[in-house]
Amino acid sequence: MEIARHLTIRGRVQGVWYRAWMAEQAEALGVRGWVRNRSDSTVEALVVGSADALEGLITRCRQGPPAARVDSIDSEKADPADAGPAFEKRTTLA
């Protein structure tokens, strides 16, 4: 059974390859959805997959890539239908 979460990631998460890193992690875990930067310096993501896969991805996201500093991750329930069939990096949302 698939579940979906909408994530807001705060900290030093822009300009440190966070989106590309997250896309690699999601693909490795079989998670679909998307990730994008926001103009408020956060990273936003919609992630869809099994409970175990999402738990693994969120655990990895708390660490992030080497240059990142993750201060917090907010997670809310989301609709799995809002994600496409794969994981994609989206452009910045103004």
Side-chain angles (χ1 to χ4, degrees):
M1 178 175 175
E2 283 191 323
I3 60 172
R5 295 287 184 265
H6 178 260
L7 307 177
T8 303
I9 304 156
R10 292 180 174 79
R12 188 175 68 229
V13 291
Q14 290 190 14
V16 294
W17 299 99
Y18 197 97
R19 287 182 307 147
W21 174 88
M22 186 174 181
E24 289 175 2
Q25 301 304 307
E27 290 170 7
L29 292 166
V31 172
R32 62 189 182 96
W34 50 262
V35 62
R36 66 182 168 198
N37 288 336
R38 294 186 55 97
S39 60
D40 64 0
S41 298
T42 63
V43 168
E44 175 184 31
L46 174 68
V47 294
V48 180
S50 70
D52 288 343
L54 294 192
E55 182 179 332
L57 180 60
I58 292 170
T59 297
R60 292 179 187 190
C61 285
R62 290 188 194 289
Q63 179 67 38
R69 185 197 73 245
V70 178
D71 294 335
S72 66
I73 299 177
D74 295 334
S75 176
E76 298 177 1
K77 289 183 181 180
D79 184 351
D82 292 338
F87 198 89
E88 65 179 295
K89 292 182 293 179
R90 292 188 174 176
T91 59
T92 299
L93 180 66

